[in-house]
Amino acid sequence: MTTFHIPTQSNFIEAEGTRYAYRTFGREEGVPLVLFVHFRGTMENWDPALLAPLAEVRPVIVFDNKGIGETDGETPTTITEMAQDAVTFIRALGLEQVDVLGFSIGGMVAQEVALQEKTLIRKMVLAGTAPEAGVNPSQEVFERMNRHGGTEQDGINDFMFFFYGDTETSRAAGMASLKRIFAQKQFDSSDQVKEAQLQAIAKWAQPKPKTHYEWLQTIEHPVLVTNGVKDVMAPTENSYLLTEKIPNAQLIVYPDAGHGHLFQFPELFAAHVNLFLDSDAI
């Protein structure tokens, strides 16, 4: 495992009335890779074992979108507004083009950014996510996402259910990842973030005519779609749907894995992302 240093202190930048928190690391040369995190996550919810091999070969930027973690304001209740806020942050840094890795709700935001600002994105990775009006998870998933209270162990149990498979190998890798993340956590998201993101996901998930998926064909960027073989949060069928509809998309499905496949196989996932981003053939 690489020992690349991941910073623990944030930088801040003011843009359109919001003070955004972010951290940059990795190489100074190259197209920056901006990461959009999962439901309720802050920039400290990225597994350092994944970040380090990415940062060895490119500039990496993690950030808290509006209302999340160290960034002020209130989290909006639509994916469209979240994407607008993300674009505001990226533009504030003076960046003209970036690569994007969007995980879970972050992948939904990434799709919207690609539609709103086509020239801002060079390449995009969509991990464990779904298109608008995609295949919804089971009722149990919604019930657990909406659950209030509970012990710390309840939270860990829910996280393992959401992110990993029911095999010993998947759960062991998941617990190892969770320990790495816990070791770096200083800030959490508020209840306002949870409620706003739940509303945004519910709106995004509303059924629409099948012809609605044709909007995905307007995403002309090279796209790498990834998932575990059985994702209960963003059912893996969504990854096939994204790959089918986005003209220049390819798909990797990881065995014995679920929603958290990128944390279960951090170094392998990073190698796949690096190969995709560095390839001239895609």
Side-chain angles (χ1 to χ4, degrees):
M1 182 179 294
T2 180
T3 57
F4 191 93
H5 173 68
I6 307 299
T8 58
Q9 298 299 313
S10 299
N11 300 310
F12 297 89
I13 191 166
E14 186 90 15
E16 297 187 10
T18 298
R19 184 172 181 258
Y20 290 90
Y22 69 100
R23 300 174 190 177
T24 61
F25 45 96
R27 295 212 171 182
E28 295 185 1
E29 309 84 14
V31 178
L33 175 63
V34 183
L35 277 62
F36 299 175
V37 76
H38 60 75
F39 174 67
R40 297 193 71 188
T42 74
M43 59 181 156
E44 294 177 332
N45 281 90
W46 291 104
D47 189 333
L50 166 62
L51 297 180
L54 294 173
E56 284 191 337
V57 295
R58 68 190 71 258
V60 175
I61 301 172
V62 295
F63 78 108
D64 288 335
N65 212 345
K66 183 181 287 188
I68 297 172
E70 295 180 87
T71 296
D72 61 16
E74 285 197 356
T75 298
T77 59
T78 68
I79 299 298
T80 298
E81 293 172 283
M82 293 175 187
Q84 291 168 350
D85 292 334
V87 169
T88 296
F89 163 71
I90 294 170
R91 293 291 191 196
L93 293 179
L95 299 173
E96 296 183 357
Q97 192 171 60
V98 297
D99 294 325
V100 168
L101 193 170
F103 174 30
S104 193
I105 191 175
M108 300 170 191
V109 175
Q111 292 171 62
E112 272 289 325
V113 171
L115 293 172
Q116 294 178 17
E117 298 280 344
K118 291 183 182 294
T119 61
L120 182 60
I121 294 180
R122 185 185 70 112
K123 293 186 177 184
M124 183 164 57
V125 181
L126 300 176
T129 193
E132 189 176 24
V135 179
N136 286 333
S138 69
Q139 188 60 36
E140 181 182 3
V141 171
F142 284 118
E143 290 172 356
R144 287 196 180 209
M145 289 175 70
N146 282 281
R147 185 158 61 188
H148 295 275
T151 65
E152 180 177 325
Q153 187 59 48
D154 290 333
I156 292 174
N157 291 340
D158 282 344
F159 183 82
M160 297 302 293
F161 169 78
F162 290 145
F163 276 61
Y164 299 101
D166 57 6
T167 66
E168 183 177 343
T169 48
S170 182
R171 289 181 175 273
M175 283 303 301
S177 173
L178 195 59
K179 289 177 181 178
R180 293 191 293 267
I181 292 170
F182 276 174
Q184 68 183 4
K185 284 286 286 181
Q186 303 176 71
F187 301 93
D188 288 313
S189 293
S190 67
D191 288 340
Q192 190 274 326
V193 172
K194 175 183 176 181
E195 296 304 322
Q197 290 188 344
L198 282 173
Q199 289 183 51
I201 291 170
K203 294 171 186 175
W204 182 265
Q206 285 296 309
K208 291 181 175 64
K210 288 186 178 180
T211 54
H212 175 73
Y213 294 137
E214 301 310 312
W215 71 269
L216 291 169
Q217 295 183 5
T218 67
I219 298 178
E220 301 173 351
H221 311 78
V223 176
L224 174 62
V225 181
T226 70
N227 213 334
V229 68
K230 187 177 180 182
D231 185 344
V232 300
M233 282 282 282
T236 306
E237 293 92 331
N238 289 297
S239 298
Y240 289 96
L241 185 57
L242 287 166
T243 309
E244 176 189 1
K245 297 299 183 181
I246 297 175
N248 198 11
Q250 57 185 296
L251 173 65
I252 298 177
V253 175
Y254 293 82
D256 186 36
H259 196 59
H261 58 283
L262 63 174
F263 296 163
Q264 183 171 338
F265 301 105
E267 292 185 308
L268 177 61
F269 180 85
H272 288 155
V273 170
N274 285 332
L275 178 63
F276 167 70
L277 295 180
D278 291 340
S279 175
D280 293 329
I282 302 170

